[in-house]
Amino acid sequence: MQVTLLGTGDTTGTPTVGCGCDTCEAAREPDEAMRRRLRERGVPEEYGVERSRFSVHVENERTGECLLLDCSPDFRHQFLRGDVALPDEAVVSHIHFDHLDGLGNAYRLLESLPVYAADETDPKTGESVAETVSSKYDYLDRVSVHPVSPFEPFETCGFEVTLVPVDHPPLVCYGLTVRDPETGATLALSGDSSYDVPEASRAELADADLLLVDGIVPARLCEFHPLGGRHEDEAGTPRTFGTKHMTFEGARALADDLDAADYRLVHVSHFPTPEEAFAEDAALDGERFTL
């Protein structure tokens, strides 16, 4: 299983358009220390220092098939710069635009794109993620939507994939696991989530070879959120920023809770300092992992 992080940022990405903060400037003009870190991580030079909107490419090296996890609006940019094949199939975790709107790129690029999404009705929208994807992209006859139930594994691209509910109010959202049935290699995604991941979902996400875990800012920045922080640890450190995303501390705690062999923080924003934003465990576009 070859995993390529196509997009590792939040809704606005890093650098953010029109922003001159220290972190965005460090991304635009990386110093030699940052360039060395990129080389050490194996990030191709053409990627530079960037966090585009979230998407993960998973190649099954046995079958040659490629699975796309979430469809970033940066799809075109990600596939132009990345040395990866276009997807054979895709999974959509939830209906926020930064995880979904890249589906429009299926037009004239792909002969077909089966898309898997959850079949549970969202009380907020009155329809499931699968139904929303189907209705929003009904003009794309090359996209076919396949509803799947949480906790029920399904097969795609030679992998076994399982969706699990997480906590990303006000909408339903799902984490997932991707397992190679022959090697046992496992990739897990927390999905966009607070620290309040249900126990049954934690059990499915546990013991992964690689966990991509949602962490948007350090806990110290909770004071700037209108709702503050939640899910404090024993020392009073918030593990959730507002209601929708984990703090860095919460994400690291979840990785520890789940006993992941390795992990990376994803959905990272540009609000942390450069030292925080580009910490060793904070993902960057272009990182690759062989599981």
Side-chain angles (χ1 to χ4, degrees):
M1 183 189 303
Q2 184 79 27
V3 179
T4 302
L5 309 187
L6 297 180
T8 59
D10 69 339
T11 306
T12 65
T14 302
T16 292
V17 174
C19 181
C21 75
D22 289 347
T23 297
C24 287
E25 288 303 308
R28 291 189 184 97
E29 298 292 339
D31 59 20
E32 181 51 38
M34 177 58 72
R35 292 182 185 278
R36 184 171 60 252
R37 184 176 302 174
L38 292 178
R39 291 193 294 269
E40 291 170 351
R41 292 192 186 189
V43 175
E45 185 175 343
E46 59 267 24
Y47 276 82
V49 180
E50 184 174 5
R51 290 191 174 108
S52 58
R53 273 73 68 88
F54 186 80
S55 190
V56 178
H57 185 277
V58 187
E59 180 183 357
N60 187 330
E61 294 166 299
R62 290 184 290 99
T63 67
E65 296 170 289
C66 297
L67 177 65
L68 188 64
L69 308 179
D70 282 339
C71 300
S72 169
D74 296 313
F75 183 109
R76 178 179 180 275
H77 173 55
Q78 290 172 349
F79 278 90
L80 280 174
R81 70 180 177 177
D83 185 20
V84 293
L86 286 168
D88 295 291
E89 305 194 355
V91 178
V92 171
S93 66
H94 67 299
I95 61 171
H96 280 151
F97 90 98
D98 52 327
H99 295 256
L100 174 61
D101 281 4
L103 263 181
N105 289 272
Y107 179 64
R108 294 199 299 186
L109 289 182
L110 303 169
E111 290 299 321
S112 66
L113 185 65
V115 176
Y116 298 87
D119 62 1
E120 291 182 314
T121 299
D122 187 336
K124 182 69 175 179
T125 66
E127 58 185 13
S128 67
V129 174
E131 288 170 329
T132 300
V133 174
S134 183
S135 62
K136 186 170 183 177
Y137 292 98
D138 59 353
Y139 66 94
L140 291 176
D141 56 7
R142 301 185 186 194
V143 172
S144 59
V145 180
H146 302 265
V148 292
S149 298
F151 297 114
E152 293 186 11
F154 60 95
E155 184 179 334
T156 174
C157 295
F159 296 123
E160 181 185 272
V161 179
T162 305
L163 292 176
V164 296
V166 290
D167 181 54
H168 190 54
L171 300 176
V172 295
C173 183
Y174 301 86
L176 60 90
T177 56
V178 180
R179 290 190 173 89
D180 186 322
E182 291 201 11
T183 67
T186 303
L187 169 68
L189 279 66
S190 72
D192 283 15
S193 182
S194 79
Y195 181 75
D196 193 24
V197 177
E199 287 302 321
S201 299
R202 287 174 177 245
E204 172 61 28
L205 297 170
D207 302 317
D209 296 290
L210 176 65
L211 171 68
L212 303 178
V213 59
D214 173 25
I216 194 165
V217 295
R220 65 177 182 80
L221 295 181
C222 287
E223 65 175 294
F224 299 105
H225 194 291
L227 299 178
R230 302 171 61 204
H231 305 128
E232 291 84 356
D233 63 15
E234 295 80 0
T237 302
R239 291 178 285 197
T240 295
F241 178 70
T243 61
K244 296 183 179 183
H245 297 278
M246 279 176 270
T247 61
F248 287 2
E249 291 84 347
R252 289 165 179 148
L254 185 65
D256 186 58
D257 295 345
L258 299 180
D259 200 23
D262 197 5
Y263 74 94
R264 287 292 185 274
L265 307 181
V266 295
H267 214 283
V268 177
S269 74
H270 68 119
F271 296 112
T273 66
E275 293 74 22
E276 293 168 325
F278 304 122
E280 288 297 328
D281 59 356
L284 287 170
D285 290 15
E287 285 195 82
R288 298 186 180 188
F289 302 84
T290 299
L291 307 183

